[in-house]
Amino acid sequence: MTSPPQARVAIVLGSGLSEVARTLVPAEPIPYSSLEGMAAPTAGGHEGALYTGKLEGVPTLIFAGRLHLYEGHEVTRVVQPVRLAHEAGCDTIILTNASGGIDPSLPVGGFALISDHLNLTGTNPLLGHADTGTRFLDLTEVYDAELRALARAADPTLKEGVYAGLIGPVYETPAEIRMLRAMGADLVGMSTVLEAIEARRLGMRVLGLSLVTNAAAGLSSTKLEHEEVSAAGRAAAGRLEGLLRKLVADL
Ligand code: HPA
């Protein structure tokens, strides 16, 4: 088993976004299978390798691909990249994902900042934590306001939205999207919320960056397909690279 090298910043690349890793830090990647507690992803568009190196002079870990509950993984495995990043000394984590847009003012094909979340996965990485301080973790500000301000400075067109994290793997029904909208969600996806909670438990600063790959179910006439989601991710790779470079340089 290999341990990630010491670093300051970690980035997790979601659906279709993996290929940005090798342009950001063009080093030989470490396959997830040789990292403690990790497994090879089974979701298309998720590579399953850790890229390490200096990004804009900052030692960075880039997890190309993530593990999801819907693949049958335990919560501990889903949040393992966060734990590895923390052990490697990272104090900041940037969680990227692909999402369905519920708020029509968040354009399809564009990135949005996650301002807050609804954890609707039915589980939590803190289950079983006996320590009261840890168990009753304050989640008033999961997504760091200062980091969001930095991201907006890097790209003033970035809007913010509340991300609803569901277990998946099916896409939502139009009725579920209406429910989520009434509950205050602007974006919907199948990841990120558990990782963000674990990062907060470990005292890390979290930035959530979501690529709106499609209008959520029932809001457009097209059917939802994973290939479409991955393709939207690949199409946005160049913009993501530029944004991540600016962001990390300013941290
Ligand atoms: N729903 C859930 N997850 C997603 C979506 C969606 O519409 N798009 C990309 N990930």
Side-chain angles (χ1 to χ4, degrees):
M1 287 285 142
T2 316
S3 294
Q6 288 292 301
R8 240 193 82 203
V9 177
I11 300 172
V12 178
L13 296 172
S15 289
L17 301 169
S18 287
E19 61 190 49
V20 180
R22 69 180 71 94
T23 40
L24 286 171
V25 283
E28 197 50 42
I30 307 168
Y32 281 178
S33 53
S34 24
L35 290 169
E36 193 67 47
M38 297 286 286
T42 61
H46 287 264
E47 181 184 338
L50 172 65
Y51 290 72
T52 68
K54 286 201 171 167
L55 176 60
E56 303 296 309
V58 180
T60 303
L61 304 181
I62 305 183
F63 291 88
R66 60 155 55 84
L67 304 172
H68 304 81
L69 285 178
Y70 66 69
E71 294 171 83
H73 294 304
E74 301 285 335
V75 189
T76 46
R77 180 155 287 175
V78 171
V79 302
Q80 181 66 358
V82 181
R83 293 185 180 172
L84 290 175
H86 180 254
E87 278 167 23
C90 296
D91 61 10
T92 300
I93 189 160
I94 302 175
L95 301 172
T96 71
N97 65 33
S99 64
I102 299 176
D103 174 352
S105 77
L106 299 173
V108 171
F111 285 95
L113 291 169
I114 301 178
S115 58
D116 202 350
H117 75 215
L118 302 173
N119 174 14
L120 301 175
T121 62
T123 189
N124 196 293
L126 273 66
L127 288 180
H129 275 268
D131 172 65
T132 305
T134 312
R135 180 181 269 170
F136 301 115
L137 183 70
D138 175 72
L139 294 181
T140 308
E141 189 182 303
V142 177
Y143 302 91
D144 193 89
E146 231 176 77
L147 290 182
R148 278 185 278 145
L150 270 182
R152 278 193 305 270
D155 179 355
T157 67
L158 281 174
K159 293 188 180 173
E160 296 198 343
V162 173
Y163 176 89
L166 278 64
I167 190 168
V170 293
Y171 289 115
E172 301 68 38
T173 63
E176 285 165 345
I177 294 301
R178 288 194 295 276
M179 173 189 76
L180 292 171
R181 189 173 192 168
M183 288 165 78
D186 304 306
L187 302 157
V188 60
M190 308 174 192
S191 68
T192 306
V193 294
L194 302 173
E195 294 149 66
I197 293 170
E198 183 69 356
R200 290 306 302 135
R201 174 181 80 84
L202 295 166
M204 298 166 84
R205 300 194 302 167
V206 181
L207 182 75
L209 202 51
S210 191
L211 174 67
V212 184
T213 54
N214 55 277
L219 300 180
S220 93
S221 53
T222 41
K223 283 199 172 174
L224 303 184
E225 282 177 42
H226 185 67
E227 184 39 44
E228 177 201 359
V229 168
S230 294
R234 289 192 296 273
R239 266 176 297 143
L240 180 62
E241 183 188 345
L243 186 55
L244 288 173
R245 280 191 186 283
K246 276 198 207 164
L247 257 169
V248 171
D250 290 346
L251 280 176

